[in-house]
Amino acid sequence: MASIFTVRAASGYEQLMGRWSRRLATGFIDFAGLAPGERILDVGCGTGSLTFELAKSADLTEIQAIDFSPVFVEAARARNTDPRVHFQQADATALPFADKTFDRALALLVLHFVPEAGKAVAEMRRVVRPGGVVAAVVWDHYGGMPGFRMMVDTVAALSESGRQMRSRFCFQPMVQPGEMKQSFIDQGLTEITETQLTIRMDYESFDDYWAPIAAGEGPLGRYMTLDAAEQTRVEAAVRDAYQAGRPDGQRSFASVAWACRGIVA
């Protein structure tokens, strides 16, 4: 499996997305459901935002967490002190677990970075017992992320490469209305429920917003492999959009995610 998420450093990811993943994890767990004694799989665990929230949320027997990035797995292992929690590097489209191993398989903000996202859903279904739950959540890139659209729309106005980046960002797998639900249907899940989850992304300043992008983290950061002059031009334009004619400082953006839940027949 390839991943279209660019990883430089775990700390950079934390500033770009990890802090917002933790906010989203609570509502996602409520939507996906948990019960005491269950065995849970976290697919695409990143630095552990969902994993560690799961460990606090219920009296679970076991939490297995996998990620394609060795950088993330190493960082999550270093943080872990819970003997029920286990991290390993693995492929979401070829999970290293036997059939019907888990009560629930959950994926927080990962399926839209898996080129074969439907195959990942099929693997989640395979490793969950009959009657168990498969659930996932992804950002609504096109219509629900004004903070990130601020950058992609700005660079799209500057160059053809910016317009191409915007198209890639807005139409990643699973981010369109009903797209993830249809994938769940295609993979044979039943009693499927789709909803929207909303958090706010609160920034202290433009530098707080821009630093992980400038460092090359994530899909926006990957775009910043530009020559020095173009990097300077892009940064100035995005700074102007962030500040919007006011002094630099705190800004807050509502951010919407699609969540989907299904039952293994």
Side-chain angles (χ1 to χ4, degrees), residues 99-151:
D99 296 358
K100 306 175 185 178
T101 297
F102 299 98
D103 298 290
R104 299 174 200 262
L106 312 181
L108 175 80
L109 303 178
V110 65
L111 290 184
H112 49 325
F113 294 110
V114 180
E116 295 182 283
K119 190 173 180 180
V121 174
E123 277 291 275
M124 292 169 72
R125 176 187 55 76
R126 178 184 66 78
V127 301
V128 171
R129 63 168 175 80
V133 170
V134 172
V137 61
V138 300
W139 291 122
D140 176 6
H141 275 195
Y142 184 86
M145 294 198 79
F148 282 16
R149 280 297 301 266
M150 178 178 67
M151 176 186 169

Coordinates of all heavy atoms in Angstrom, one line a residue, residues 99-151:
D99 N -9.0 -13.6 10.8 CA -10.4 -13.2 10.7 C -11.1 -13.2 12.0 O -10.8 -14.0 12.9 CB -11.1 -14.3 9.8 CG -10.6 -14.3 8.4 OD1 -9.7 -13.5 8.0 OD2 -11.1 -15.1 7.6
K100 N -12.1 -12.3 12.2 CA -13.0 -12.3 13.3 C -12.2 -12.1 14.7 O -12.7 -12.6 15.7 CB -13.8 -13.5 13.4 CG -14.6 -13.8 12.1 CD -15.3 -15.1 12.1 CE -16.0 -15.4 10.8 NZ -16.7 -16.7 10.8
T101 N -11.1 -11.3 14.6 CA -10.3 -11.2 15.8 C -10.9 -10.1 16.8 O -10.8 -10.3 18.0 CB -8.9 -10.8 15.4 OG1 -8.3 -11.8 14.7 CG2 -8.0 -10.5 16.7
F102 N -11.5 -9.1 16.2 CA -11.8 -7.9 17.0 C -13.4 -7.7 17.1 O -14.1 -8.2 16.3 CB -11.2 -6.6 16.4 CG -9.7 -6.7 16.4 CD1 -9.0 -7.0 15.2 CD2 -9.0 -6.4 17.5 CE1 -7.7 -7.1 15.2 CE2 -7.6 -6.5 17.5 CZ -6.9 -6.8 16.3
D103 N -13.7 -6.9 18.2 CA -15.1 -6.5 18.3 C -15.4 -5.3 17.5 O -16.6 -5.1 17.0 CB -15.5 -6.2 19.8 CG -15.3 -7.5 20.7 OD1 -16.1 -8.4 20.5 OD2 -14.3 -7.5 21.4
R104 N -14.5 -4.4 17.3 CA -14.6 -3.2 16.5 C -13.3 -2.9 15.9 O -12.2 -3.0 16.4 CB -15.1 -2.0 17.4 CG -16.4 -2.2 18.1 CD -16.7 -1.1 19.0 NE -17.7 -1.5 20.0 CZ -19.0 -1.3 19.9 NH1 -19.5 -0.6 18.9 NH2 -19.9 -1.8 20.8
A105 N -13.4 -2.3 14.6 CA -12.2 -1.8 13.9 C -12.6 -0.3 13.6 O -13.6 -0.1 12.9 CB -11.9 -2.6 12.7
L106 N -11.7 0.6 14.0 CA -12.0 2.0 13.9 C -10.8 2.7 13.1 O -9.7 2.3 13.3 CB -12.1 2.7 15.2 CG -13.0 2.0 16.3 CD1 -13.1 2.8 17.5 CD2 -14.4 1.8 15.7
A107 N -11.2 3.7 12.3 CA -10.1 4.4 11.5 C -10.4 5.9 11.6 O -11.4 6.4 11.1 CB -10.1 3.9 10.1
L108 N -9.5 6.6 12.3 CA -9.7 8.0 12.5 C -8.8 8.8 11.5 O -7.5 8.7 11.6 CB -9.3 8.4 13.9 CG -9.3 9.9 14.3 CD1 -10.7 10.4 14.5 CD2 -8.4 10.2 15.5
L109 N -9.4 9.5 10.5 CA -8.6 10.3 9.6 C -7.5 9.6 8.9 O -6.4 10.1 8.8 CB -8.0 11.5 10.4 CG -9.1 12.4 11.1 CD1 -8.3 13.5 11.9 CD2 -10.1 13.0 10.2
V110 N -7.9 8.4 8.3 CA -6.9 7.7 7.5 C -7.3 7.2 6.2 O -6.6 7.2 5.2 CB -6.4 6.5 8.4 CG1 -7.5 5.5 8.6 CG2 -5.2 5.8 7.7
L111 N -8.6 6.9 6.0 CA -9.0 6.3 4.8 C -8.8 7.2 3.5 O -8.6 6.7 2.4 CB -10.5 5.8 4.8 CG -10.8 4.6 5.8 CD1 -12.3 4.3 5.7 CD2 -9.9 3.4 5.4
H112 N -8.9 8.5 3.7 CA -8.7 9.4 2.6 C -7.3 9.5 2.2 O -7.0 10.2 1.2 CB -9.4 10.8 2.9 CG -9.0 11.4 4.2 ND1 -8.8 10.7 5.3 CD2 -8.8 12.7 4.5 CE1 -8.5 11.6 6.3 NE2 -8.5 12.8 5.8
F113 N -6.4 8.9 2.9 CA -5.0 8.8 2.5 C -4.6 7.5 2.0 O -3.4 7.2 1.8 CB -4.1 9.3 3.7 CG -4.3 10.7 4.1 CD1 -4.9 11.0 5.3 CD2 -3.9 11.7 3.2 CE1 -5.1 12.4 5.6 CE2 -4.1 13.0 3.5 CZ -4.7 13.4 4.7
V114 N -5.5 6.5 1.9 CA -5.2 5.2 1.4 C -5.7 5.1 -0.1 O -7.0 5.1 -0.3 CB -5.9 4.1 2.3 CG1 -5.6 2.7 1.7 CG2 -5.5 4.3 3.7
P115 N -4.9 5.0 -1.0 CA -5.3 4.9 -2.4 C -6.4 3.8 -2.7 O -7.3 4.0 -3.4 CB -4.0 4.7 -3.2 CG -3.0 5.3 -2.4 CD -3.4 5.0 -1.0
E116 N -6.2 2.7 -2.1 CA -7.1 1.6 -2.2 C -8.0 1.5 -0.9 O -8.0 0.6 -0.2 CB -6.4 0.2 -2.4 CG -5.6 0.1 -3.7 CD -4.9 -1.2 -3.8 OE1 -3.9 -1.4 -3.1 OE2 -5.5 -2.1 -4.6
A117 N -8.8 2.6 -0.7 CA -9.5 2.8 0.5 C -10.6 1.7 0.7 O -10.8 1.2 1.8 CB -10.2 4.1 0.5
G118 N -11.2 1.3 -0.4 CA -12.2 0.2 -0.3 C -11.6 -1.1 0.2 O -12.2 -1.9 0.9
K119 N -10.4 -1.4 -0.2 CA -9.7 -2.6 0.2 C -9.4 -2.5 1.7 O -9.5 -3.5 2.4 CB -8.4 -2.8 -0.5 CG -7.7 -4.1 -0.3 CD -6.5 -4.3 -1.3 CE -5.8 -5.6 -1.1 NZ -4.7 -5.8 -2.0
A120 N -9.1 -1.3 2.2 CA -8.9 -1.1 3.7 C -10.2 -1.4 4.4 O -10.2 -2.0 5.5 CB -8.4 0.3 4.0
V121 N -11.3 -0.9 3.9 CA -12.6 -1.2 4.5 C -12.9 -2.7 4.6 O -13.4 -3.3 5.6 CB -13.8 -0.4 3.8 CG1 -15.1 -0.8 4.4 CG2 -13.5 1.1 3.9
A122 N -12.6 -3.4 3.5 CA -12.8 -4.8 3.4 C -11.9 -5.5 4.4 O -12.4 -6.5 5.1 CB -12.5 -5.3 2.0
E123 N -10.7 -5.1 4.6 CA -9.8 -5.7 5.6 C -10.4 -5.4 7.0 O -10.3 -6.3 7.9 CB -8.4 -5.2 5.5 CG -7.6 -5.9 4.4 CD -7.3 -7.3 4.9 OE1 -6.3 -7.5 5.6 OE2 -8.0 -8.2 4.5
M124 N -10.9 -4.3 7.3 CA -11.5 -4.0 8.6 C -12.6 -4.9 8.9 O -12.8 -5.5 10.0 CB -11.9 -2.5 8.7 CG -10.7 -1.5 8.7 SD -11.2 0.2 8.5 CE -11.9 0.5 10.1
R125 N -13.5 -5.1 7.9 CA -14.6 -6.0 8.0 C -14.1 -7.4 8.3 O -14.7 -8.1 9.1 CB -15.5 -6.0 6.7 CG -16.6 -7.0 6.8 CD -17.4 -7.1 5.4 NE -16.5 -7.3 4.3 CZ -16.0 -8.5 4.0 NH1 -16.3 -9.6 4.8 NH2 -15.2 -8.7 3.0
R126 N -13.1 -7.9 7.6 CA -12.6 -9.2 7.7 C -12.2 -9.5 9.1 O -12.4 -10.7 9.6 CB -11.4 -9.5 6.7 CG -10.8 -10.8 6.8 CD -9.6 -11.0 6.0 NE -8.4 -10.2 6.4 CZ -7.6 -10.4 7.4 NH1 -7.8 -11.5 8.1 NH2 -6.6 -9.6 7.7
V127 N -11.5 -8.6 9.8 CA -10.9 -8.9 11.1 C -11.9 -8.7 12.3 O -11.5 -8.8 13.4 CB -9.6 -8.1 11.3 CG1 -8.6 -8.5 10.3 CG2 -9.9 -6.6 11.4
V128 N -13.1 -8.2 12.0 CA -14.1 -8.0 13.0 C -15.1 -9.1 13.0 O -15.6 -9.6 12.0 CB -14.8 -6.6 12.7 CG1 -16.0 -6.5 13.7 CG2 -13.9 -5.5 12.9
R129 N -15.5 -9.6 14.2 CA -16.5 -10.7 14.3 C -17.8 -10.3 13.8 O -18.2 -9.1 13.7 CB -16.6 -11.0 15.8 CG -17.2 -9.9 16.7 CD -17.5 -10.4 18.1 NE -18.0 -9.2 18.9 CZ -19.2 -8.7 18.9 NH1 -20.1 -9.1 18.0 NH2 -19.5 -7.7 19.7
P130 N -18.7 -11.3 13.4 CA -20.0 -11.0 13.1 C -20.8 -10.3 14.2 O -20.6 -10.7 15.4 CB -20.6 -12.4 12.9 CG -19.5 -13.3 12.5 CD -18.3 -12.7 13.3
G131 N -21.5 -9.3 13.9 CA -22.2 -8.4 14.9 C -21.3 -7.3 15.4 O -21.8 -6.4 16.1
G132 N -20.0 -7.3 15.0 CA -19.1 -6.3 15.5 C -19.2 -5.0 14.6 O -20.0 -5.0 13.6
V133 N -18.5 -4.0 14.9 CA -18.6 -2.7 14.3 C -17.3 -2.3 13.5 O -16.2 -2.5 14.0 CB -18.9 -1.6 15.3 CG1 -18.8 -0.2 14.7 CG2 -20.3 -1.9 15.9
V134 N -17.6 -1.8 12.3 CA -16.5 -1.1 11.5 C -16.9 0.4 11.4 O -18.1 0.7 11.1 CB -16.4 -1.7 10.1 CG1 -15.4 -0.8 9.3 CG2 -15.8 -3.1 10.2
A135 N -16.0 1.3 11.8 CA -16.4 2.7 11.8 C -15.2 3.5 11.3 O -14.0 3.1 11.6 CB -16.9 3.2 13.1
A136 N -15.4 4.6 10.6 CA -14.3 5.5 10.1 C -14.8 6.9 10.0 O -16.0 7.2 9.9 CB -13.8 5.0 8.7
V137 N -13.8 7.8 10.1 CA -14.1 9.2 9.9 C -13.1 9.9 9.1 O -11.9 9.5 9.2 CB -14.3 9.9 11.3 CG1 -13.0 9.8 12.1 CG2 -14.7 11.3 11.2
V138 N -13.5 10.8 8.2 CA -12.5 11.5 7.3 C -13.0 12.9 7.3 O -14.2 13.2 7.4 CB -12.5 10.9 5.9 CG1 -12.0 9.4 5.9 CG2 -13.8 11.0 5.2
W139 N -12.0 13.8 7.0 CA -12.4 15.2 6.9 C -13.2 15.5 5.6 O -12.9 14.8 4.6 CB -11.2 16.1 6.8 CG -10.4 16.2 8.1 CD1 -9.1 15.9 8.3 CD2 -10.9 16.7 9.4 NE1 -8.7 16.2 9.6 CE2 -9.8 16.7 10.3 CE3 -12.1 17.2 9.8 CZ2 -9.9 17.1 11.6 CZ3 -12.2 17.6 11.1 CH2 -11.2 17.5 12.0
D140 N -14.1 16.4 5.6 CA -14.8 16.9 4.4 C -13.9 18.0 3.8 O -14.1 19.2 4.0 CB -16.2 17.5 4.8 CG -16.9 18.1 3.6 OD1 -16.4 18.0 2.5 OD2 -18.0 18.7 3.9
H141 N -13.0 17.5 3.0 CA -12.0 18.4 2.4 C -12.6 19.5 1.6 O -12.1 20.7 1.6 CB -11.0 17.7 1.6 CG -9.8 17.1 2.4 ND1 -8.7 16.6 1.8 CD2 -9.7 16.9 3.7 CE1 -7.9 16.1 2.7 NE2 -8.5 16.3 3.9
Y142 N -13.6 19.2 0.8 CA -14.1 20.2 -0.2 C -15.0 21.2 0.5 O -14.8 22.4 0.3 CB -15.0 19.4 -1.2 CG -15.5 20.4 -2.3 CD1 -14.7 20.7 -3.4 CD2 -16.7 21.0 -2.2 CE1 -15.1 21.6 -4.4 CE2 -17.2 21.8 -3.2 CZ -16.4 22.1 -4.3 OH -16.8 23.0 -5.2
G143 N -15.9 20.8 1.4 CA -16.8 21.7 2.0 C -16.7 22.0 3.4 O -17.5 22.8 4.0
G144 N -15.8 21.3 4.2 CA -15.9 21.4 5.6 C -14.6 21.8 6.3 O -14.5 21.7 7.5
M145 N -13.6 22.2 5.5 CA -12.3 22.6 6.1 C -11.8 24.0 5.7 O -10.9 24.1 5.0 CB -11.2 21.5 5.8 CG -11.5 20.2 6.3 SD -10.0 19.2 6.3 CE -9.1 19.9 7.7
P146 N -12.5 25.0 6.2 CA -12.2 26.4 5.7 C -10.7 26.8 6.1 O -10.1 27.5 5.3 CB -13.2 27.2 6.4 CG -13.6 26.4 7.6 CD -13.6 25.0 7.1
G147 N -10.2 26.2 7.2 CA -8.8 26.6 7.5 C -7.8 26.1 6.5 O -6.9 26.8 6.1
F148 N -8.0 24.9 6.0 CA -7.1 24.3 5.0 C -7.4 24.8 3.6 O -6.6 25.0 2.8 CB -7.1 22.8 5.1 CG -6.3 22.2 6.2 CD1 -5.9 23.0 7.3 CD2 -5.9 20.9 6.2 CE1 -5.1 22.5 8.3 CE2 -5.2 20.4 7.2 CZ -4.8 21.2 8.3
R149 N -8.7 25.0 3.3 CA -9.1 25.6 2.0 C -8.6 27.0 1.9 O -8.3 27.4 0.7 CB -10.7 25.6 1.9 CG -11.3 24.3 1.5 CD -10.9 23.8 0.2 NE -11.2 24.7 -0.9 CZ -12.4 24.6 -1.6 NH1 -13.3 23.7 -1.3 NH2 -12.6 25.5 -2.6
M150 N -8.4 27.7 3.0 CA -7.8 29.0 2.9 C -6.4 28.9 2.2 O -6.1 29.8 1.3 CB -7.6 29.6 4.3 CG -7.0 31.0 4.3 SD -6.9 31.6 6.0 CE -5.7 30.4 6.7
M151 N -5.6 27.9 2.5 CA -4.4 27.8 1.8 C -4.5 27.3 0.4 O -4.0 27.9 -0.5 CB -3.4 26.9 2.6 CG -2.1 26.7 1.8 SD -1.0 25.4 2.4 CE 0.2 25.3 1.0

